[in-house]
């Protein structure tokens, strides 16, 4: 079994790009769901305490970052390792902000 690899000296496979593309679509789906929850006012019911305005703004910023990350994945440029690192950083910061404003 060949593992998808993004490290130096290893071959990049179509599976690597498929995984990044799937993650990008999942990220957009997550943001759309959170925006709908915020707009409909369900945030306080799902989260015990939530700072509504900062949570909504963080969701929008996370969504914009998700939209900006999608075209490079579809174009397959730059290198998959650089994109994976950028996706990780955006997810870590975005999710941490959302958890922080949801008092999680």
């Amino acid at each position: 079994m060949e593992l998808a690899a993004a490290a130096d000296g290893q071959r990049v496979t179509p599976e690597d790009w498929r995984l990044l593309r799937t993650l990008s679509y999942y990220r957009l789906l997550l943001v759309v769901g959170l925006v709908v929850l915020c707009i409909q006012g369900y945030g306080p019911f799902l989260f015990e305490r939530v700072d509504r305005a900062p949570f909504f703004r963080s969701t929008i910023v996370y969504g914009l970052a998700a939209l900006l990350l999608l075209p490079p994945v579809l174009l397959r440029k730059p290198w998959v390792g650089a994109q994976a690192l950028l996706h990780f950083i955006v997810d870590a910061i975005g999710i941490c902000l959302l958890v922080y404003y949801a008092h999680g």
Side-chain angles (χ1 to χ4, degrees):
M1 180 172 119
E2 183 180 343
L3 296 176
D8 288 330
Q10 295 179 338
R11 192 168 64 89
V12 176
T13 65
E15 181 71 5
D16 297 321
W17 292 106
R18 187 189 67 79
L19 290 171
L20 274 179
R21 190 174 58 247
T22 302
L23 176 64
S24 295
Y25 293 142
Y26 169 75
R27 189 181 297 112
L28 288 171
L29 182 65
L30 174 68
V31 167
V32 167
L34 288 173
V35 166
V36 168
L37 289 175
C38 287
I39 290 173
Q40 296 296 323
Y42 291 121
F45 297 110
L46 295 175
F47 310 110
E48 291 180 17
R49 297 181 304 146
V50 64
D51 295 333
R52 290 182 185 188
F55 186 85
F56 184 71
R57 283 192 302 267
S58 297
T59 302
I60 297 299
V61 169
Y62 187 46
L64 291 174
L67 285 173
L68 291 174
L69 289 173
L70 188 58
V73 171
L74 298 176
L75 296 173
R76 295 186 177 193
K77 293 181 181 174
W79 175 62
V80 71
Q83 286 197 39
L85 180 62
L86 186 59
H87 283 242
F88 172 78
I89 291 168
V90 166
D91 283 337
I93 292 171
I95 297 298
C96 284
L97 278 174
L98 293 173
V99 168
Y100 177 77
Y101 288 124
H103 297 282

